[in-house]
Amino acid sequence: KHIFDVSEFKQRLYMYAEEQNVRLFLTYEQKEFYEQKQVIAFANEIKAKAVLGLDIIWSDTASDCELETVYNSEYFIQDYGSAELAADYTKAIAAQLVVSFSGFKNAEENDSLIYDATIPAANARITFPESINMKEQNMRKFSERFAHTIEKMISQIMLR
């Protein structure tokens, strides 16, 4: 019913990452399905600077767009750990999207993308009400705004 077209989003992010001399991996475009544990094991192995996740959830009980940010409170480094990454990610999303923030959540074992990270990691869960009008132009606008959010996060992470 709701389709998030990532083609423009992907192209824009790859161009930005190349300009910043950053290797960017977008797991949704892989030919095979990878479990979260496999994705984070790869990120840990290559010593990625950070992992950012995005879950888009459609709910018939939500009355407005909500944002919850999941992070690993167990992973801490002095300058920039998961808590700082989660806070920056949340601020960057809130600057681009009209959402109500429901809070930070510590990753649980079933959140393996974040829970198993040995690098800074955060996952944004954005819940949209089923009733929201997300026509193609609205999804394109969301895609553009979220691409801007990721560009901002890449810049912030690279400054660390």
Side-chain angles (χ1 to χ4, degrees), residues 87-106:
D88 287 347
Y89 195 25
T90 300
K91 287 179 204 166
I93 292 169
Q96 291 296 318
L97 304 173
V98 178
V99 293
S100 60
F101 181 56
S102 61
F104 293 101
K105 179 184 174 202
N106 193 26

Side-chain angles (χ1 to χ4, degrees), residues 119-130:
I119 56 177
N123 187 44
R125 292 183 179 147
I126 301 175
T127 302
F128 291 101
E130 282 286 345

Side-chain angles (χ1 to χ4, degrees), residues 26-60:
L26 301 174
T27 59
Y28 67 83
E29 69 180 4
Q30 302 298 321
K31 290 183 173 122
E32 295 178 39
F33 174 77
Y34 291 98
E35 296 288 332
Q36 286 187 355
K37 283 189 175 293
Q38 293 171 299
V39 172
I40 199 60
F42 174 70
N44 288 336
E45 182 180 316
I46 67 167
K47 295 178 179 37
K49 284 200 170 242
V51 168
L52 296 173
L54 171 65
D55 293 335
I56 296 177
I57 302 162
W58 296 96
S59 169
D60 55 2

